[in-house]
Amino acid sequence: MIIFGTSSKLVQLAMLNLLCGFCGNPSAHPLRKRVTKFSLFFIPLFPIAPAKHSIQCTFCGAQTEISKESAEQLLAQGTTQGSAPGGMPGGQQGMGGVPPQPGAQSGNPFAGQQPQNPYQS
């Protein structure tokens, strides 16, 4: 008897401070990557689907899937630029400053997308 199937692993890549496109609050957003692999006898062997990247607002719970390129860009912005005096990566201002305009090129992955709200069906 051969036992096979799939297994998923969720990896948190970074914790980013962004302006949520759903609730409009500046909050922490974990950047996560989900990898699905083929398993034989409960041992994950090789990936069977491309990795899916997502971010989720810790304030309202809205989750949005983003492309691999957007995830790499956000990860690079968060690690190379460090924290600005406002406490947000990339020079974004939080409550004390002027928030970025919706739809502006501020590196916000929510711009132009409608995120999924986990509390509404």
Side-chain angles (χ1 to χ4, degrees):
M1 175 187 236
I2 297 177
I3 300 174
F4 64 93
T6 61
S7 63
S8 291
K9 184 176 181 181
L10 189 63
V11 179
Q12 183 169 324
L13 301 174
M15 187 67 82
L16 305 168
N17 289 320
L18 299 171
L19 187 68
C20 180
F22 188 77
C23 66
N25 291 311
S27 63
H29 289 71
L31 175 61
R32 297 179 179 146
K33 177 172 84 169
R34 179 179 299 275
V35 179
T36 304
K37 294 186 176 185
F38 175 78
S39 299
L40 184 63
F41 291 107
F42 304 104
I43 301 171
L45 296 176
F46 54 87
I48 59 172
K52 294 183 180 180
H53 295 81
S54 65
I55 56 175
Q56 182 176 10
C57 178
T58 55
F59 190 82
C60 68
Q63 182 173 355
T64 303
E65 284 194 20
I66 59 174
S67 66
K68 180 180 178 183
E69 293 80 23
S70 297
E72 289 173 353
Q73 181 183 12
L74 286 171
L75 194 57
Q77 284 177 357
T79 57
T80 59
Q81 295 179 355
S83 292
M88 296 195 161
Q92 294 176 343
Q93 294 295 318
M95 292 182 199
V98 177
Q101 296 296 322
Q105 287 295 85
S106 63
N108 191 347
F110 286 123
Q113 290 187 16
Q114 194 67 9
Q116 303 169 358
N117 188 348
Y119 302 109
Q120 294 178 347
S121 39

